Amino acid sequence: MAVLLLGLAPPAGIAGPRTESSEIPGLSRPVRIVVDHWGVPHIYARNAGDLFLAQGFTAARDRLFQMDVWRRSGLGLLSEILGPSFVRQDRAARLLLYRGDMEREWAAYGPEAKLAVTRFTEGINAQVDWLERHPENLPPEFREFGFAPSRWRPEDVVRIRKHGLSMNAASEVFRSRLVCAGGIGAGTFSRALQPAHTPAVPDGLDPCSVPADVLEPAGQADRQPAPAPPGTAAMAEGSNGWVVAPARTATGRPVLANDPHRALTAPPLRYISHLSTPGLDVIGAGEPFLPGVSLGHNETVAFGLTVFGIDQEDLYVYRLDPGSPGRYGYRGAWEPFRTVTEEVPVAGGPPQRVELQFTRHGPVLRVDGEHHVAYALRTTWTEPGTAPYLGSLRYLRARDFGEFAAALRHWGGPPENHLYADTGGNIGWVTAGLAPKRSGYDGLLPAPGDGRYEWTGFHDGATLPRSYNPPDGFIASANDYNVPAGHPFQVGYEWEPPYRRQRIDDVLSAGRRQSVDDSVRLQNDQLSLPALRLLPLVTGLRSTDPGTGRALDLLRGYDGVAQVDSAATALYEPWFTNHLVPAFLRVFLNEEAASLARIPGGNISLMLEALEHPGEWFGPGGAAARDRLLLTTLGAAYADVRGKLGDDPGKWRWGTLQHTVFLSTTGRHVGPVERGGSGYTVDVSSYNPATYEQGVGASFKMALDVGHWDDSKAINAPGQSGDVAGPHYRDLLEGWRTGTYFPLLYSRAAVERNAESVLTLLPGA
């Protein structure tokens, strides 16, 4: 991929910014909002209360329909606008709401949280009020679906938990099925556990009894009105992030880079904003539904985050009282479910009553009356302080590493690697998240809920791994296993493969002094390290089969870079994903276990190790057996790709197969866009193996020049706004495709020079 480093230029021919003003009840002083040429609002207020109100108002101006659907889906109110077919989903969403003590909840996020959220929701409501007075400006989706935007309560923001990246209940269910199909050793071929570990089946659990769809209510809770294409739900979400110390940079200032990997939507998950008031001046990206930002910088400190593998979930299996199925066994006695009955409003009909059941551990997902069994989900979501990303309010004013780390001691979720850099030249890493202490089990399979397998508390956040100014001069994270050797306790066993992290480490340690543009280049790097290990095993082979021979010719000289216009990648990726991996698994597992092991992509590190050392894995004549496997699958892949791209390999292109569609809840998606990269490149593209549609990737990316902030760069595809007819709905798509970022302006002078529009909010009655 050719990465342009000049930055997205502002549109030509703009004489000056548009100006407007609006009276907003609740403001104490005027607020100035400058929107730059890339759709980023820079909000200047005289006090924090007005600042957060203006942030809510501004976010709702750009993203009101997205925000309204998020609120309704999270609170279980979609049936109110979409009818009775969504009652089941609404019930599921209500199961996952936070239902604990609200005073403890507010306190968990720090002294400013309740004020910030309250004023933020007042700002959203002020925009809803303004639209009632100016109905011609109502986003057209509301008319299309026939409902009005709702008003928010502060509690709505913190009670919704479904958007967090908590883990690992889905893995527990999957592992149960795999153990049932192929025994405890089958899991080795599916996913590496780190540190190396053999899961223990809890006493009293029959892995074959766990229904494959037992977590369906949890999945239902996060289903969008316009569903994603099949296959995207299984794709892992994560991130890349790194920070480079001054001794390794071209400027003598730190560089911090971050690119979260999430589902690709239109508008995107992230929303960039600049919040400025006396005592707080911060810019970066957050979710549009929340006050503050979670990744970006203030005047002295830069911060980013990637998912850290704390195991925050357990699926419990309960034995029910045959004579009274509303009770479950717990420590030698029968304990009743706690039952809550609620009414779900339904468009076009009367409200429907739904019954929600809870055990002492969490919401009941399924009751199997025939077998006298129930299943409930225990998760950190039910604890105070775990509303995703809201904990970032604590570190927005951090001035040094000590304050930053102290703020993260109370971070609940999602579990994250927090990267740090400051204008003093310091860099750091702090892991954070509510980490359960488990007694007598490893959390890798469902467990009986009879009291033998319990959480005994949570680890103190200050005892989680961290680092400050390490001797290597850089810190990188790519959701890999990064717990230091000798750490006194285990937080989880499931991590992403090491290849993205290895590539980042290779580049940052190579000796070249790094710049912001180098970080942009690295974020868009498409070199596949697994390909570099696999290709030497193939390119020396020969075949008398014409198709296999042409496939070998195509791969000879392939550099492993998954560029959009690469013919070799158009063969290599389908071969690797759809032919080699499943065939390898079938060598060592039965058909059912092999099919299951393939779902998360298989344990690629184990496969590469086996192919590189065939005598240890394939038995006598192992090299010949390995070569037959490679040639047979390569020939099949060549025929597969030829059927899709034609007989002339010279005209094949990876981008013709792999594509990106930014999904919209309205069904008006953005794309398709040709796409390079793969699941193992830094520029990650987790694609559906059946369609080659990218489901997960980095729509937001930033590279920060710490202390010389105006030289920082960012992208947020397809655009900042949710207004389909507006200028910022898809104006960043081409820059995202080509790796061309825009300047993330911070200084008041630079912002004013690049103003597209200026909105003055005035106190109103």
Side-chain angles (χ1 to χ4, degrees), residues 13 16 28 70 111 123 144 236 288 296 305 347 398 422 492 575 584 601 658 672 724 752:
S28 65
W70 178 85
E144 179 181 344
L305 47 80
D422 65 36
W575 170 54
F584 172 81
Q658 187 177 222
V724 178
E752 296 289 350

Side-chain angles (χ1 to χ4, degrees), residues 485-508:
H487 192 73
F489 57 88
Q490 186 64 32
V491 299
Y493 292 94
E494 296 177 313
W495 312 82
E496 286 299 294
Y499 306 112
R500 286 185 285 122
R501 166 68 184 274
Q502 288 174 2
R503 175 58 177 164
I504 294 166
D505 284 356
D506 288 347
V507 171
L508 296 182

Side-chain angles (χ1 to χ4, degrees), residues 361-385:
H361 298 121
V364 177
L365 303 180
R366 174 175 295 193
V367 174
D368 182 348
E370 179 182 355
H371 297 96
H372 308 294
V373 173
Y375 302 85
L377 180 66
R378 184 166 197 181
T379 170
T380 58
W381 294 350
T382 58
E383 299 293 326

Side-chain angles (χ1 to χ4, degrees), residues 174-175 178-180 182-193 197 199 585 589 593 597 600 602-603 606:
F174 173 79
R175 187 169 288 108
L178 193 54
V179 169
C180 176
I184 198 69
T188 305
F189 291 88
S190 172
R191 185 171 189 173
L193 298 180
H197 176 76
L585 293 172
L589 300 173
N603 184 345
L606 181 146

